[in-house]
């Protein structure tokens, strides 16, 4: 594993509290194995997801004069696991991850879900250490330079599509519920149900909660008669 001081140079930000960055790089397999009192990067990932969303929303609002639906689709394309995996690879984030032995031996440094989650955790670490301006500066380096020509993502965000379908009936409510986890830490599968007004309309299994949610939404769309691609 590369020294995290090198990562600070790569991202162009020096931490006042480097323990935040260390935690952001600590996968649950490592935190459990080492019994870290600070825990894994999962709480930071939660916060980073929100910081990322507000920064990207602000960026799109100021640079695209399009309807809310288009803004939602663009934001989804920029903050989904596939995009975050690409961003993480740009800074070789996998080289700096702290992984348990099992995760290390099964290719965890290259796993899209782990890299995407760590990318969000690093955003949160920067936000907590240096504030929103520092976090936004870091995030903006990954945004497309010509947003006008980046409006058609090459993949589908099934959760966004499902939400748009459901929004046609304002009284309807969609929620995603984690109902189980399968397998060891280094090869875990998450099981998620998507529910419409408490009724299960789809189920998905994935290596991350986000992937499971996407697959649950995909199944729901297919059951509703929409062609999910």
């Amino acid at each position: 594993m590369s020294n995290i001081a090198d990562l600070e140079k790569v991202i162009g930000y020096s931490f006042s509290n480097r323990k935040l960055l260390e935690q952001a790089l600590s996968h649950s397999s490592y935190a459990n194995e080492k019994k870290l009192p600070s825990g894994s990067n999962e709480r930071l990932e939660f916060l980073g997801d929100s910081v990322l969303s507000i920064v990207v929303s602000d960026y799109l609002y100021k640079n695209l004069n399009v309807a809310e639906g288009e803004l939602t689709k663009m934001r989804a394309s920029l903050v989904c696991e596939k995009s975050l995996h690409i961003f993480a690879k740009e800074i070789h984030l996998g080289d700096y991850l702290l992984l348990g032995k099992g995760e290390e031996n099964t290719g965890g440094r290259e796993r899209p879900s782990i890299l995407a989650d760590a990318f969000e955790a690093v955003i949160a670490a920067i936000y907590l250490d240096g504030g929103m301006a520092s976090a936004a500066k870091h995030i903006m380096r990954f945004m497309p330079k010509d947003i006008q020509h980046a409006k058609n993502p090459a993949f589908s965000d099934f959760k966004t599509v499902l939400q748009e379908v459901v929004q046609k009936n304002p009284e309807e409510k969609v929620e995603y519920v984690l109902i189980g986890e399968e397998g060891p830490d280094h090869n875990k599968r998450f099981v998620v149900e998507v529910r419409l007004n408490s009724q299960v309309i789809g189920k998905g299994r994935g290596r991350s909660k986000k992937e499971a949610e996407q697959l649950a939404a995909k199944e729901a769309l297919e059951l509703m008669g929409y062609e999910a691609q």
Side-chain angles (χ1 to χ4, degrees):
M1 189 196 77
S2 300
N3 192 297
I4 63 170
D6 295 334
L7 179 57
E8 288 182 312
K9 295 177 183 176
V10 171
I11 64 177
Y13 180 81
S14 296
F15 280 80
S16 296
N17 181 5
R18 192 174 282 178
K19 288 188 180 300
L20 284 169
L21 181 56
E22 291 177 358
Q23 185 176 358
L25 299 172
S26 297
H27 185 256
S28 57
S29 61
Y30 179 83
N32 293 336
E33 193 174 283
K34 300 296 184 180
K35 295 181 172 56
L36 297 181
S38 58
S40 70
N41 62 6
E42 291 178 348
R43 281 169 52 83
L44 285 174
E45 175 210 339
F46 164 80
L47 177 59
D49 180 73
S50 295
V51 174
L52 176 65
S53 181
I54 188 63
V55 170
V56 171
S57 297
D58 179 73
Y59 166 64
L60 294 175
Y61 181 84
K62 291 176 178 176
N63 287 279
L64 282 180
N65 186 22
V66 297
E68 182 270 342
E70 283 299 308
L71 291 172
T72 299
K73 288 180 181 178
M74 273 302 301
R75 181 178 61 193
S77 75
L78 290 170
V79 304
C80 74
E81 183 176 293
K82 184 171 182 177
S83 291
L84 300 185
H85 175 222
I86 293 172
F87 300 158
K89 290 182 71 174
E90 287 181 19
I91 57 175
H92 304 285
L93 191 57
D95 293 346
Y96 305 92
L97 295 178
L98 297 166
L99 303 173
K101 292 179 180 177
E103 198 66 66
E104 180 77 69
N105 294 334
T106 54
R109 292 191 186 280
E110 299 296 326
R111 189 160 294 141
S113 60
I114 291 178
L115 287 169
D117 290 348
F119 187 84
E120 289 183 326
V122 169
I123 289 172
I126 294 173
Y127 166 73
L128 290 173
D129 191 75
M132 183 62 83
S134 295
K137 181 179 179 181
H138 172 68
I139 293 167
M140 288 307 300
R141 65 183 290 190
F142 300 97
M143 294 298 101
K145 297 299 183 287
D146 187 356
I147 192 66
Q148 293 293 339
H149 290 91
K151 289 195 289 183
N152 295 311
F155 56 91
S156 296
D157 186 304
F158 302 115
K159 287 181 65 177
T160 297
V161 175
L162 179 60
Q163 189 62 39
E164 289 180 346
V165 171
V166 172
Q167 281 178 346
K168 294 176 183 177
N169 298 298
E171 70 279 3
E172 306 282 5
K173 178 185 177 183
V174 169
E175 62 178 340
Y176 294 85
V177 180
L178 177 67
I179 62 169
E181 299 179 10
E182 305 169 346
D185 282 346
H186 67 273
N187 192 28
K188 186 168 288 187
R189 291 292 191 280
F190 296 90
V191 185
V192 169
E193 288 180 348
V194 56
R195 301 175 183 177
L196 181 63
N197 299 330
S198 301
Q199 297 296 314
V200 177
I201 58 173
K203 182 184 290 187
R205 284 180 171 80
R207 287 185 175 273
S208 68
K209 294 174 188 176
K210 292 177 182 177
E211 180 183 4
E213 289 174 354
Q214 287 287 351
L215 293 175
K218 180 176 186 290
E219 180 175 280
L221 286 166
E222 291 171 346
L223 291 175
M224 294 166 70
Y226 291 86
E227 186 176 351
Q229 299 179 350

